[in-house]
Each structure stands twice: as structure tokens, then as C-alpha cells.
Amino acid sequence: MNQFNTLYHLIFVVKIKNIMKLAILGNGLTSLSLAKSLVNKGIFVDIFSNQKKIDINKNRTIGLSKKNIDFFNREILNIKKFSWDIKKIEIYSENLQSEKILNFENKSRVLFSMIKNFDLQTELFSKLIKNKLCNFKKILSYKNSNLNKYNLVINCDSRNQITKKFFSKKLKKDYDSFAHTTIIKHKKIKNNVASQIFTQKGPLAFLPLSETETSIVYSARGEKNIDLKKIVTKYNSKYEIVLFEKLASFKLKSVNLRSYFHGNILAFGDLLHRIHPLAGQGFNMNIRDINILCELINFRKDNGLELDRSICNDFEKKTKHKNYLFSSGIDFIYEFFNLESKINNNILSKSVRIIGKNKFLIKSFEEIANNGL
Ligand SMILES: Cc1cc2nc3c(=O)[nH]c(=O)nc-3n(C[C@H](O)[C@H](O)[C@H](O)COP(=O)(O)OP(=O)(O)OC[C@H]3O[C@@H](n4cnc5c(N)ncnc54)[C@H](O)[C@@H]3O)c2cc1C
């Protein structure tokens, strides 16, 4: 009887192993976060990438909403040690002589937390490389890669051959803008208030990282080569700047994929939806997607069902309309302030200032930024 039990258990484990094998394509932030959440559930994951080592820009940062930070800490990895809490957000408009038009503050909780991409990606990588359920595989071509043997393939890489072959149909918008980023080092200051100024050329954000460091994101219409130091100096009234870290620029576009999957391959992360960074929501959307995908996987695991391609369909049904609506909302905010610059009038900023006095609306905006739609 005992032998029978052991044999039965062995067959069961082998079956589970077969059932629960997933491939993730790409080794960026979304891929690694998703991989970590899956291995935490006891699922085997192979991570495919064409890069020898992970290529990380050390000066990129992301702001994560309170709800997503809580989810990350609980389901993926505890990131408290390298996140910096923001308790207040102030929005200004250059068209109103840089007057404050909106103010977000919640006395009972932090609004969001800032993280350096490098810290997050390095920590995720170092945890995954030691995990027996996870394998990193270098791949140059997917032609003979045998991806069919996986129950599910999750593609987070917008540059590979699979993306070019199956995920090229998308709604695209070119903002004719670049996001210019750097980190400023400054004299020590109490630094928990983020601010964003809608300048004539686009939004300039000051995003605190610590008492002595603040991330700068300037999304401006026009050419790639600008004097970011001069612009930051012009609008900065708070920091005694000691040093500017290396500057980097990224072309800005928004993308919404028309179809989320092909067979058992699910497109994921920025490949599904890329948005303007003015509200700092791109990676937040990816985390919400991870949460939904994990719920679908949990449901199947708990009910003894296979992890098969039906997950792709269910995921698309649950997320596509919300993601599209959310992306459109971000685009609307961009166009709103863009229009004001074009018509050279401050009527729109004035109306935002009036809206900003309505506590119910401010609370609703906060909730959407925290939870998504
Ligand atoms: C200026 C700016 C500010 C932002 N701020 C915020 C914010 O505050 N909050 C927020 O939630 N989101 C923010 N975002 C969005 C956020 O940065 C992205 O959602 C996130 O970085 C996606 O990371 P990723 O690694 O999953 O995707 P990607 O960077 O698209 O990488 C996906 C995959 O593609 C491959 N790949 C990428 N680059 C290369 C390369 N050069 N060579 C070969 N392969 C490559 C890698 O394998 C990688 O796995 C911001 C975006 C920008 C541009």
C-alpha cells in the first residue's frame, strides 16, 4: 500500500511538472516580475532572451502605486528596502505662471513609491538565478526552439522574431516627443513630495528617490538633443543640485496590440500596451496584468485544470477593454495640455484648477491611479 502511494505520488508530481511548465520570452522588468510570481506558486519557468546579460540603464526609475507595491511585496518580492514613499503630488501649469493647479494628498496612506529599475531588476534576477524552478536560456533564433512543449509561452519581448511574426497588428501613435531622464543629486532635504509642471513643451516631473536624490522625467515635443540641465535649472525652485547623473532620451509612442495571443503564445507587458509616461502608469499596468494572469492560473490550479491556451483567451477578455480605456485616458490628458499650448490660452489650466477644488473628483483620480479601472 505504501509503495502504491509513493508510486502514485511520483506520477502525480511528474504530471504536475508537465502541466506547469511555462516559457517567458524576454528578461526585462515585466518578465522577471512575472517569473518570480510564478515560481512562488511552484510553477517551472524557462526565461528566454537573446542578450548575454541583462542590459539595465542605471538612471531609469519607476513610480509604483500603493496597491501595486502591496501586491509586489506580498506576491512577488519584498521591495520595501529600496522603495521611497511619496506622500503628496503637486501639479503646476506654466500657462498659469507656474501656479499649482492640482494637489493630491492622502493623510492615511502613501500615494506611491519610487524605485530604481536597476535595483528591482538586479534583485529579481539574483533571486531567480538561485531558484531551482527557474532556468535562464540564451537563444538567438526561435526557429527550432520547440516552444510547443510549453503549456504557455508568455512573450514580453517587443523585438524578437515571434513578435514580428504574430504581434505586428497594433494601434500606434507617435507623440513626436522624447522623454529625457536623469537623476539629480542634491543637498539633503525632506523629500516626499513629487511635482510635475506642465510646461509649454510637455510635462517635467521631479520624483524623489531619497533625501539626496530626485529622478527627473521631461517629456517634450521636438528634437532629441536638448539641454536638460538648463531646463531643470529653470524650473527647479527646491533643490540645491550638486550633480546631474548621465542623461538618457527615449522616443515616445503609444501602442495597443490588436490581438493579445496567437495559439499558446500570450503577448504581455509593454508589448501589449505602451503609454505616455506623464502619469507614470506603464509598469503599473503590467503589474495589474500580472495580478489578473495569476488569478487565472490560481483558479485552474485550485480546480485541477490544465494551464492551457484557454488562459490566453480569458486574459484577453478580462483585460483588453480596460487596458485600452486606461491608455486612452492617459492620451486624453496628454492631448488636453497639448491643446492648451497650441491655442496659447490658459482656459484649460484654469478649469483644471477649479476641478482640483472638488474633493470627490480628486479622490476618484487618486483611486484610478492606485487601482486602475
Ligand atoms: C521615461 C519613462 C518613465 C516611466 N515612468 C514610469 C513610472 O513612473 N511608473 C510606471 O509604472 N511606468 C513607467 N514607465 C514605463 C516603464 O518604464 C515600462 O513599463 C517598463 O520599463 C517595462 O519594462 P520591461 O523591461 O518589461 O519592458 P522593455 O523595456 O520593453 O523590455 C522588454 C524586453 O525586450 C527586450 N529588450 C528591451 N530592450 C532591449 C535592447 N535594447 N536590446 C535587446 N533586447 C531588448 C528585453 O529582453 C526585455 O525583456 C516609464 C517609461 C518611460 C519611457
Side-chain angles (χ1 to χ4, degrees), residues 302-362:
D302 294 348
N303 290 288
L305 301 168
E306 268 198 53
L307 294 188
D308 60 12
R309 60 183 63 189
S310 66
I311 285 193
C312 302
N313 197 17
D314 290 354
F315 178 79
E316 183 179 282
K317 269 198 209 143
K318 275 200 152 205
T319 56
K320 194 171 165 185
H321 60 293
K322 281 191 189 172
N323 284 337
Y324 183 69
L325 209 62
F326 197 82
S327 308
S328 307
I330 301 291
D331 185 59
F332 175 78
I333 299 172
Y334 167 82
E335 287 300 347
F336 187 86
F337 286 97
N338 192 15
L339 177 68
E340 184 167 76
S341 305
K342 275 188 196 153
I343 59 177
N344 214 1
N345 192 311
N346 62 15
I347 183 90
L348 297 178
S349 285
K350 278 185 178 159
S351 47
V352 173
R353 191 175 52 191
I354 294 166
I355 289 171
K357 296 207 166 86
N358 184 320
K359 283 193 178 140
F360 172 76
L361 283 177
I362 287 289

Side-chain angles (χ1 to χ4, degrees), residues 25-31 48-51 55 60-64 114 117 121 156-159 179 181 207 217 250 252 269-270 274-275 277 279-286:
L25 315 186
N27 60 3
L29 268 184
T30 311
S31 311
F48 290 87
S49 154
N50 63 1
Q51 294 154 294
D55 176 25
R60 282 196 67 179
T61 58
I62 36 174
L64 294 184
M114 289 300 298
N117 295 29
Q121 208 159 331
C156 308
D157 184 346
S158 40
R159 293 155 205 255
T181 62
L207 304 159
V217 180
F250 307 87
L252 291 180
D270 278 27
R274 202 174 273 264
I275 56 170
Q281 284 288 333
F283 191 58
N284 278 293
M285 287 177 83
N286 299 349

